[in-house]
């Protein structure tokens, strides 16, 4: 059943503010130029300081957006550009592209919901009122939803595209969408970030590979050269370049002190000590077919939901479960040919298994995270140590599809071992170039670009 009626409820702008609850990461990706040749790493005291700085101000890095996390009744949230589930949730201001939001409500029947949009500065502080950044209504209704078809576990699938006739944006920058109960802005089901860029000025991005002793792969030092458009060219103040690696928004690294080596162009680069060490999405999981093979050790269809046991991942051995890069996104449809997989895919209890060094417990908790958790280490996904098997195990309810995942622990010994034995994987670094515009009293997002190595 597809529901197609419409309601409208526009609350005052003051109602759009909600408490800060939790940290969430997003998937981001792209394609770009090749990296520069590798070079040996130097200590922090050896950073190149020969080029003049535009300003003595210190670099700053946002901690990522503080968002409302979904409850157990909301699953498989996807936010991507166009028709490619792996693409970034980035729009071009006044462009023809759209972003698609999809998610499942774990229920037998659906209900109308609402969606709100907040603007934020580059530090993810919600700043403007809706009338300043929207050329439209303050909110919209989520009315396109359908029940799953012939699945062991029932769910309702929601789909929404924007911009549309009712939602139009007038300002670039960071944005946060908020899904709520219909007409109740404070009854929040979940939030997700996205970006609107202007695509102005000239941006070239690249990266140096920095060899570090004990690492299987080099660290990556991103570099961005930006030529501002004529209307804001002049003083180099107010510009900031933020670098993201494989969709981990909470690990963004920013530089607000451009070098003036080629005026009026501005050059941004992270100090070597802040280069990205390897360790993004380590493993690939394909649950599309629910067949034994690849990383799937056993499938049990006698239970409800169906159960899948994965092959164990070993800390001291490079994993074999390395697949195509998903850019931190969940892929449900992919190239599957059956009737819309968004409606026919099963939810399965998926058991992850991780063997630590010497089959001994690590210090502190061990969690699993990935595209199913917004590329963040979710403390609710903590694994338990099985002494009889010498490994950690834990279940996650996942929809059939493809995922990237990783293991997280603060144990320095485990981190060292993982750095030495990480599986070879593609790394994508995305550059976001911001400008603090006093006329708008916020940060504009001028342009974005990515490179992959």
């Amino acid at each position: 059943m597809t529901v197609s009626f419409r309601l409208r409820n526009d609350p005052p702008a003051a109602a759009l503010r909600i408490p800060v609850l939790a940290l969430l990461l997003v998937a981001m990706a792209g394609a770009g130029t090749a990296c520069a040749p590798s070079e040996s790493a130097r200590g922090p005291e050896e950073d190149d300081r020969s080029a003049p700085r535009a300003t003595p101000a210190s670099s700053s890095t946002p901690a990522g957006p503080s968002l409302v996390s979904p409850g157990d009744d909301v699953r498989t949230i996807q936010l991507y550009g166009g028709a490619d589930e792996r693409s970034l949730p980035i729009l071009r201001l006044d462009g023809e592209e759209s972003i698609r939001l999809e998610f499942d409500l774990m229920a037998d029947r659906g209900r109308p919901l609402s969606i709100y949009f907040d603007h934020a500065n580059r530090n993810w502080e919600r700043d403007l009122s809706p009338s300043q950044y929207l050329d439209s209504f303050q909110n919209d209704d989520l009315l396109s939803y359908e029940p799953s078809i012939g699945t062991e576990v029932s769910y309702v699938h929601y789909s929404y595209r924007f911009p549309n006739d009712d939602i139009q944006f007038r300002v670039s920058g960071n944005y946060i969408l908020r899904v709520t109960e219909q007409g109740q802005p404070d009854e929040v089901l979940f939030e997700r970030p996205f970006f609107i860029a202007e695509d102005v000025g000239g941006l070239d991005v690249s990266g140096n590979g920095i060899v570090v002793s004990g690492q299987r792969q080099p660290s990556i030092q991103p570099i961005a050269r930006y030529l501002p458009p004529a209307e804001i060219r002049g003083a180099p103040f107010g510009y900031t370049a933020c670098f993201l690696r494989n969709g981990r928004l909470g690990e963004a690294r920013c530089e607000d002190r451009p070098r003036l080596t080629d005026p009026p162009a501005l050059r941004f680069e992270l100090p070597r000590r802040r280069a990205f060490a390897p360790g993004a999405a380590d493993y690939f999981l394909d649950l599309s077919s629910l067949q034994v093979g690849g990383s799937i050790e056993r499938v049990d269809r006698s239970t409800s939901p169906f159960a899948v046991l994965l092959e164990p991942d070993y800390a001291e051995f490079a994993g074999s479960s390395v697949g195509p890069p998903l850019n931190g996104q969940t892929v449900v449809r992919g190239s599957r040919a059956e009737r819309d997989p968004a409606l026919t895919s099963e939810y399965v209890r998926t058991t992850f298994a991780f063997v630590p060094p010497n089959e001994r417990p690590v210090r502190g908790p061990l969690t699993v995270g990935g595209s199913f958790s917004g590329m963040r280490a979710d403390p609710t996904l903590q694994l338990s140590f099985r002494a009889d098997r010498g490994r950690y195990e834990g279940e996650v309810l996942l929809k059939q599809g493809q995922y990237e995942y990783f293991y997280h622990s603060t144990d320095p010994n485990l981190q060292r071992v993982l750095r030495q034995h990480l599986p070879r994987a593609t790394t994508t670094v995305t550059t976001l170039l911001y400008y603090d515009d006093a006329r708008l009293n916020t940060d504009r997002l001028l342009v974005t670009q990515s490179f992959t190595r």
Side-chain angles (χ1 to χ4, degrees), residues 87-292:
S87 65
L88 304 175
I90 297 179
L91 286 175
R92 184 169 62 86
L93 189 65
D94 299 326
E96 297 182 357
E97 305 95 336
S98 64
I99 285 180
R100 185 166 182 171
L101 169 69
E102 298 189 73
F103 63 93
D104 294 334
L105 198 62
M106 308 306 291
D108 294 326
R109 300 180 61 183
R111 60 185 185 272
L113 302 172
S114 290
I115 185 168
Y116 297 83
F117 299 90
D118 290 338
H119 187 276
N121 61 22
R122 70 173 182 84
N123 293 316
W124 291 102
E125 298 164 336
R126 307 181 203 216
D127 53 3
L128 305 179
S129 64
S131 61
Q132 293 176 290
Y133 57 84
L134 288 173
D135 268 331
S136 59
F137 295 105
Q138 297 178 10
N139 68 293
D140 202 2
D141 295 315
L142 300 181
L143 305 173
S144 177
Y145 53 89
E146 297 181 78
S148 59
I149 302 173
T151 56
E152 183 70 22
V153 176
S154 298
Y155 57 89
V156 179
H157 182 72
Y158 286 74
S159 180
Y160 177 80
R161 284 188 181 273
F162 65 93
N164 51 49
D165 291 342
D166 294 323
I167 298 295
Q168 297 288 332
F169 303 94
R170 62 167 63 172
V171 176
S172 66
N174 295 350
Y175 279 83
I176 299 170
L177 67 80
R178 175 166 26 115
V179 173
T180 76
E181 296 296 344
Q182 188 181 36
Q184 303 179 55
D186 293 328
E187 295 295 323
V188 184
L189 275 68
F190 66 88
E191 294 180 309
R192 280 292 189 272
F194 65 97
F195 302 86
I196 297 182
E198 299 178 23
D199 196 20
V200 296
L203 179 63
D204 294 314
V205 297
S206 60
N208 289 332
I210 301 177
V211 177
V212 178
S213 177
Q215 288 184 185
R216 183 180 176 185
Q217 302 176 40
S219 295
I220 299 175
Q221 179 192 33
I223 299 171
R225 180 185 180 275
Y226 181 65
L227 180 63
E231 60 270 20
I232 56 174
R233 191 175 299 171
F237 309 109
Y239 296 91
T240 299
C242 290
F243 304 99
L244 309 176
R245 192 261 309 267
N246 285 357
R248 297 200 182 188
L249 195 56
E251 298 177 8
R253 301 180 185 183
C254 299
E255 178 60 57
D256 58 10
R257 301 177 298 178
R259 298 173 182 265
L260 302 178
T261 56
D262 184 23
L266 308 174
R267 178 185 172 92
F268 301 84
E269 64 180 72
L270 290 180
R272 295 168 182 268
R273 64 182 179 275
R274 299 180 64 212
F276 288 106
D282 303 340
Y283 301 97
F284 171 76
L285 172 60
D286 191 348
L287 288 176
S288 300
S289 64
L290 294 185
Q291 299 293 325
V292 173

